[in-house]
């Protein structure tokens, strides 16, 4: 009985892994909360209430990144490989962002 309990505790400890997309998800949710509270002004646009729209976009990005993190965790069980793949994904997204910009 004690062995089964130890295995269950070890499985719980192994499932909690910090990854780069966790930090990105936290950033998007914190940014959305900050925008909800303090507001945002978009240059070049007429005055309006764009704060809630931008905050909802950040919330959507947070959920998408969180879902991608779950997908990557299922494919890569070794934490080192997970970090390499997720950092490569973030780098690829940033390169595409700057090329489009």
């Amino acid at each position: 009985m004690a062995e089964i309990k130890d295995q269950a505790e070890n499985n719980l400890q192994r499932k909690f892994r910090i990854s780069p997309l966790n930090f990105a998800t936290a950033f998007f949710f914190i940014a959305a909360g900050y925008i909800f509270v303090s507001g945002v002004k978009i240059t070049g646009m007429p005055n309006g209430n764009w704060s809630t729209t931008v905050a909802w976009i950040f919330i959507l990005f947070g959920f998408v990144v969180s879902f991608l993190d779950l997908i990557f965790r299922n494919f890569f069980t070794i934490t080192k490989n997970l970090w390499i793949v997720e950092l490569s994904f973030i780098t690829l997204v940033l390169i595409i962002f700057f090329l489009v910009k």
Side-chain angles (χ1 to χ4, degrees):
M1 184 76 171
E3 293 175 8
I4 294 173
K5 185 178 179 183
D6 289 338
Q7 283 180 338
E9 288 177 6
N10 287 338
N11 285 339
L12 283 175
Q13 289 174 353
R14 274 191 266 146
K15 290 197 182 243
F16 180 71
R17 295 181 293 173
I18 295 176
S19 65
L21 289 181
N22 287 56
F23 293 118
T25 303
F27 167 76
F28 284 129
F29 286 143
I30 290 171
Y34 179 76
I35 290 170
F36 267 130
V37 171
S38 67
V40 69
K41 180 167 170 87
I42 302 173
T43 46
M45 297 290 290
N47 288 339
N49 193 9
W50 286 97
S51 298
T52 55
T53 305
V54 173
W56 280 109
I57 289 171
F58 274 96
I59 290 172
L60 175 68
F61 284 166
F63 280 117
V64 169
V65 170
S66 174
F67 182 70
L68 282 173
D69 185 42
L70 289 174
I71 290 173
F72 283 142
R73 284 174 188 266
N74 285 331
F75 283 117
F76 303 100
T77 55
I78 301 171
T79 306
K80 181 180 178 183
N81 293 345
L82 179 70
W83 270 77
I84 291 170
V85 169
E86 288 188 359
L87 285 174
S88 300
F89 175 75
I90 291 170
T91 305
L92 178 69
V93 168
L94 287 174
I95 289 171
I96 291 172
F97 173 75
F98 287 125
L99 285 175
V100 170
K101 187 176 179 182

